[in-house]
Amino acid sequence: MEGSSGKAPLVDAAFQLLLACPAGLSRSQVSVDFKNSYDREPHPDKKLEESIEHIWNCRLAVSPSLFNGSKFRYGGFHMIDGEGDLEKPQNLCIHLGLTDYKTFVGTNLSHEWEHFLVPVEEDVTRCRHTASPLGNGAIVETADSQILLLQRSVDVGEFPGHVVFPGGHSEPDEVGIKSDASGSLSRMNNELNGKIAAEMFDGIIREVVEETGVPATYLSEPIFLGISRRVINVRPTAFFYVRCYLSSEAVFDHYNHAEHAFESTKLSAVSRDDLPHEAKKMPGCHQGGAALYTLMCR
């Protein structure tokens, strides 16, 4: 286990590995702590804070179909047992709050995103004024040992035209959370924490199915690999390894009927050896995903 909530993350020019689990973690080893204390803190600069609404209204004027959905916010993590001993089983608890797409657009995706950062090294404190929704990404390896990559459409809101791994977000709506604008949502709930942890694993399979068209029956149980944060705009993403029991050629046939094929213009498959080269074309957080896969393969 590399990286911790109290140590400096592993840093590359384009990404930070906030947490690396080279051996991978199963569903039973990952839990969630969902609390209000992990929500975003408003920035003390009133003008900067007001810019969030302005940016959103400008985006809506151009794209009226934009939807301000709730998202889980990354707020750090802690190890439950085995910390510091690689011979012991590692169990992870991820800290999650609640944010929304509008605040993500107005903070992380704002051209003034750096102004929302606190000038300290500690990661969670540094990003406490950003929405930082926790995205997800899947390194999907086919039966003929190819890694699936998608070329994003130019019409999508994030990473238009970029090469990425399949992925998106785990959705609060999937576990019955709409929003918490009134502050009335009870979060001290072990049952809810369990549902959210399950949604992290269920959600990445759902994204792979929707974006590639591969039925879930041909996909393995996801293995959690770690969390990468993009250096530009500090966007965090959790990455998983998923084995596909179909050949890459068979996957291409399914892609033609994918539910969310409109989000991408091309599906490609590359070998493990060629992935580092292809990763250079990716946004920073997805470059981190490729690095996590490389660590797993060592």
Side-chain angles (χ1 to χ4, degrees):
M1 190 78 62
E2 299 179 42
S4 78
S5 56
K7 299 177 183 177
L10 304 176
V11 182
D12 182 86
F15 64 87
Q16 298 173 314
L17 291 187
L18 303 181
L19 172 65
C21 308
L25 298 180
S26 67
R27 183 186 292 254
S28 65
Q29 293 175 280
V30 179
S31 60
V32 161
D33 186 23
F34 180 55
K35 288 182 180 176
N36 303 68
S37 57
Y38 303 133
D39 288 357
R40 169 185 173 269
E41 294 182 25
H43 197 281
D45 185 329
K46 184 178 179 180
K47 185 176 180 180
L48 187 62
E49 193 67 16
E50 290 174 347
S51 72
I52 297 172
E53 191 72 31
H54 174 72
I55 291 170
W56 179 248
N57 289 334
C58 290
R59 288 286 296 271
L60 277 179
V62 176
S63 304
S65 62
L66 283 178
F67 174 67
N68 182 26
S70 295
K71 302 294 178 187
F72 290 117
R73 180 181 184 275
Y74 175 71
F77 68 90
H78 71 271
M79 305 312 299
I80 297 173
D81 59 22
E83 186 171 6
D85 186 347
L86 297 180
E87 298 303 317
K88 292 183 179 180
Q90 300 283 306
N91 291 322
L92 168 70
C93 182
I94 300 176
H95 305 165
L96 294 178
L98 203 61
T99 186
D100 56 39
Y101 188 67
K102 177 178 75 173
T103 310
F104 174 50
V105 169
T107 59
N108 294 86
L109 298 188
S110 168
H111 68 278
E112 292 190 302
W113 64 271
E114 289 180 286
H115 295 284
F116 283 95
L117 301 181
V118 177
V120 298
E121 288 189 13
E122 199 276 319
D123 179 74
V124 172
T125 302
R126 180 171 177 260
C127 300
R128 68 186 180 193
H129 301 308
T130 63
S132 294
L134 183 61
N136 60 21
I139 292 83
V140 181
E141 188 166 6
T142 62
D144 51 342
S145 301
Q146 299 290 295
I147 308 298
L148 300 182
L149 303 176
L150 292 166
Q151 180 92 38
R152 295 272 282 170
S153 166
V154 296
D155 297 321
V156 295
E158 190 179 10
F159 307 141
H162 282 82
V163 175
V164 297
F165 294 111
H169 298 87
S170 294
E171 299 292 351
D173 188 57
E174 291 290 330
V175 295
I177 300 172
K178 301 297 182 181
S179 70
D180 194 20
S182 64
S184 61
L185 176 66
S186 175
R187 305 200 204 178
M188 301 298 289
N189 187 320
N190 288 335
E191 182 180 358
L192 181 58
N193 283 339
K195 288 180 178 179
I196 296 171
E199 166 58 13
M200 290 191 65
F201 284 78
D202 296 340
I204 190 59
I205 290 295
R206 187 173 59 248
E207 294 287 355
V208 174
V209 171
E210 291 174 349
E211 295 187 358
T212 69
V214 174
T217 52
Y218 292 105
L219 300 171
S220 73
E221 174 73 3
I223 297 297
F224 177 84
L225 297 181
I227 299 174
S228 167
R229 193 189 283 281
R230 192 183 188 194
V231 169
I232 296 175
N233 80 23
V234 296
R235 162 49 141 165
T237 304
F239 283 94
F240 298 80
Y241 174 77
V242 177
R243 186 73 178 173
C244 175
Y245 303 123
L246 298 174
S247 68
S248 53
E249 184 176 352
V251 172
F252 292 145
D253 290 337
H254 283 284
Y255 176 67
N256 294 327
H257 308 287
E259 182 181 353
H260 289 182
F262 62 90
E263 295 182 357
S264 60
T265 57
K266 180 184 178 182
L267 174 71
S268 58
V270 299
S271 69
R272 180 183 297 181
D273 291 339
D274 289 337
L275 182 60
H277 173 74
E278 292 298 320
K280 294 177 181 178
K281 306 173 187 177
M282 295 179 171
C285 52
H286 284 256
Q287 289 185 36
L292 289 168
Y293 174 71
T294 299
L295 288 172
M296 184 194 79
C297 294
R298 286 180 180 172

